[in-house]
Amino acid sequence: MATRPRRSAADDPDPTCPCGSAQPYAQCCGRLHRGEADAATAEALMRSRYSAFAVGDTAYLLRSWHSSTRPRRLDLEPGQRWTGLEIVDTDRGGLFDATGVVEFRAHYRAGGRPGTQTERSRFVREDGRWVYLDALPG
């Protein structure tokens, strides 16, 4: 079951995008979340997925997940607040690639404590669009 996004224009009329671009959310990852644009690269998709976690957009997270690995539903941790994203490395995933890997560190706070999720994510094109496939073993 999809949950409603945690951030809305009513909360903040011009919030900075959580992905770290310094652009307004509505003109950055918000365009992808609303279906007005597709991510041009695997890194752009990774950034938009991080932003979707930050704003609670489970519908976008499921849409941007490969059909073979997509869960039936996604429940986000209600007390978890995503606080920053670092892209550590990328391998392929460009405009003319069919596959790519993005390594990242996503920072959060949960239960008043800071945490970090580190992952090497695999992305592929499905029907011409970048989608998240899975995480490589650490």
Side-chain angles (χ1 to χ4, degrees):
M1 180 156 97
T3 59
R4 294 181 55 151
R6 294 179 190 151
R7 177 183 286 167
S8 72
D11 297 332
D12 189 346
D14 196 17
T16 301
C17 193
C19 81
S21 70
Q23 296 179 24
Y25 167 76
Q27 289 145 21
C28 189
C29 291
R31 295 177 59 240
L32 281 67
H33 296 172
R34 292 188 306 271
E36 297 171 4
D38 290 327
T41 65
E43 181 180 334
L45 182 66
M46 173 62 240
R47 288 179 176 280
S48 72
R49 286 178 55 82
Y50 170 84
S51 291
F53 275 103
V55 301
D57 190 344
T58 57
Y60 178 78
L61 290 166
L62 291 170
R63 276 195 324 272
S64 62
W65 213 308
H66 192 274
S67 61
S68 70
T69 56
R70 180 186 309 129
R72 293 175 71 65
R73 61 182 274 166
L74 182 62
D75 295 315
L76 302 179
E77 293 293 326
Q80 193 169 41
R81 191 174 131 258
W82 295 95
T83 59
L85 175 66
E86 296 174 64
I87 301 299
V88 176
D89 189 33
T90 59
D91 181 15
R92 297 183 313 268
L95 295 173
F96 303 107
D97 293 319
T99 64
V101 174
V102 179
E103 182 176 355
F104 68 91
R105 279 188 212 104
H107 302 278
Y108 62 88
R109 289 194 69 80
R113 297 181 172 202
T116 302
Q117 177 181 336
T118 301
E119 183 175 302
R120 286 184 54 80
S121 298
R122 288 195 306 166
F123 296 89
V124 298
R125 290 192 187 264
E126 184 174 51
D127 299 326
R129 294 177 42 243
W130 283 109
V131 292
Y132 170 76
L133 181 60
D134 59 13
L136 291 168

